[in-house]
Amino acid sequence: MAAAVGRICGARLLKNYGIVTPQVYQLSTSTQGWTKSRKLWLSTLGVVGGGVGALLFALEQSVQASGSEAHPYHQPWAHDGWFKSLDHASVRRGYEVYKQVCKACHSLQYISYRNLVNVTHTEAEAKAEAAEVMIKDGPDDEGNYFERPGKLSDYFPSPYPNENAARAANNGAYPPDLSLIASARHGGEDYIFALLTGYMDPPAGIPLREGQNYNPYFPGGAISMAQVLFDEAAEYTDGTPATASQLAKDISTFLRWCAEPELDDRRLMTIKAIGMFSMLTAVVYYYKRHKWSVLKSRKLAYKPVSKK
């Protein structure tokens, strides 16, 4: 390389040798060449950015602490973490709790029976579950609506025909749909578990209207839904003791799955992506070192031409 540069210089192909140093200087990432104003501007930008981030974090914490409701404790869920899957046995038990307890008032309008296949039930079991409900269908050739047994493609039916009927049956309160409740409430499954197990007598000074109950985890404390989970409130097919806390744990896990049926697939894809990109990163790093090793290890030598 040095000999090649020497021949080029000897042939007078480089007229201005002083351009080499400024070009290398401009490409350098060293802070020694930065002006005072540039250093001051970058320092100010870093301080302002850090201050704004700290302010946003403080505001979020203050808003969370300003509510009158109690904040649920974080439970050690089996699916906590990027690389952990849902407990499918718990999801199946949670479905049984929903079917025996929650289904009387709450709907799952975004979940179909085919979503249960290979998650909580086999295909034959899911078909049998769907066939237990009657779905309104039609019109037929004569323009009449009729009822038929459910199929895998059918969504879970609502217990009420419309919102007015739901309010009339629940003292004016409208039972929310539970399909996305775990994602729609701050705290997710922790909030659901705390709400279902947190009923208590109202403290002094908190009046409740007729038909209301006190739950410190519900905003305002007054909730129209009565406590529904007690020991042996539902029956598990696998023989698990149906305590109130076990029922709350399983229905919370089931509702987490309802909010994100693709959770396990997404986390499995994450593991595959990390493995794939790790190998690609190693290959790219080796290729970069291979390509740049010649440029970074070269030596430029200047040999002035003698005027003799």
Side-chain angles (χ1 to χ4, degrees):
M1 178 63 73
V5 174
R7 289 195 298 270
I8 293 175
C9 294
R12 298 290 182 174
L13 295 179
L14 298 177
K15 299 298 183 181
N16 187 3
Y17 305 108
I19 63 174
V20 176
T21 302
Q23 287 181 346
V24 174
Y25 178 80
Q26 291 176 4
L27 294 176
S28 175
T29 57
S30 174
T31 59
Q32 296 179 357
W34 290 3
T35 62
K36 185 177 180 180
S37 60
R38 184 178 182 183
K39 291 181 179 179
L40 179 62
W41 183 82
L42 290 176
S43 300
T44 304
L45 183 63
V47 171
V48 171
V52 171
L55 178 62
L56 292 177
F57 178 78
L59 288 176
E60 181 185 5
Q61 297 300 316
S62 64
V63 169
Q64 293 178 6
S66 63
S68 59
E69 69 275 7
H71 296 279
Y73 292 100
H74 180 66
Q75 304 296 332
W77 302 101
H79 55 271
D80 249 354
W82 286 9
F83 308 112
K84 294 185 178 180
S85 64
L86 290 166
D87 182 357
H88 285 220
S90 181
V91 175
R92 179 179 177 120
R93 292 194 299 268
Y95 167 75
E96 294 174 351
V97 177
Y98 169 79
K99 181 180 177 181
Q100 299 176 43
V101 180
C102 309
K103 184 180 178 181
C105 298
H106 296 276
S107 61
L108 284 175
Q109 60 177 339
Y110 298 116
I111 301 297
S112 63
Y113 287 96
R114 64 187 173 193
N115 294 127
L116 302 177
V117 178
N118 296 330
V119 177
T120 60
H121 297 72
T122 63
E123 183 175 351
E125 290 174 336
K127 287 182 177 179
E129 292 289 330
E132 292 180 3
V133 299
M134 300 302 293
I135 304 296
K136 185 178 180 179
D137 203 349
D140 56 14
D141 296 338
E142 298 179 357
N144 299 319
Y145 286 89
F146 59 93
E147 290 189 344
R148 58 165 177 80
K151 301 182 296 185
L152 287 179
S153 58
D154 292 322
Y155 288 86
F156 283 51
S158 174
Y160 304 105
N162 50 62
E163 180 178 344
N164 292 338
R167 292 187 181 277
N170 292 277
N171 198 24
Y174 180 57
D177 180 79
L178 299 182
S179 302
L180 303 174
I181 197 71
S183 296
R185 297 294 184 268
H186 182 73
E189 52 268 47
D190 291 322
Y191 167 78
I192 299 173
F193 180 86
L195 183 73
L196 294 175
T197 58
Y199 285 88
M200 61 179 61
D201 295 330
I206 297 184
L208 296 177
R209 294 182 297 180
E210 182 181 357
Q212 289 186 330
N213 303 273
Y214 181 74
N215 193 313
Y217 297 100
F218 189 77
I223 183 172
S224 297
M225 184 180 75
Q227 184 175 1
V228 294
L229 296 186
F230 303 92
D231 293 345
E232 306 299 332
E235 184 178 353
Y236 289 135
T237 57
D238 62 357
T240 301
T243 61
S245 58
Q246 182 68 48
L247 297 172
K249 169 185 175 294
D250 292 334
I251 188 61
S252 300
T253 304
F254 173 71
L255 293 178
R256 166 50 61 193
W257 170 79
C258 290
E260 298 179 275
E262 77 292 343
L263 180 64
D264 287 349
D265 293 334
R266 190 171 68 243
R267 289 182 175 177
L268 181 60
M269 183 62 67
T270 299
I271 297 175
K272 293 180 180 179
I274 290 176
M276 180 180 65
F277 282 109
S278 298
M279 292 186 292
L280 288 178
T281 300
V283 172
V284 170
Y285 178 74
Y286 175 80
Y287 184 75
K288 177 258 182 186
R289 292 294 301 269
H290 174 72
K291 281 294 185 182
W292 283 86
S293 60
V294 177
L295 297 177
K296 289 189 174 183
S297 61
R298 67 181 178 176
K299 180 179 180 181
L300 299 180
Y302 171 63
K303 295 183 179 181
V305 179
S306 177
K307 296 182 179 180
K308 293 182 179 179

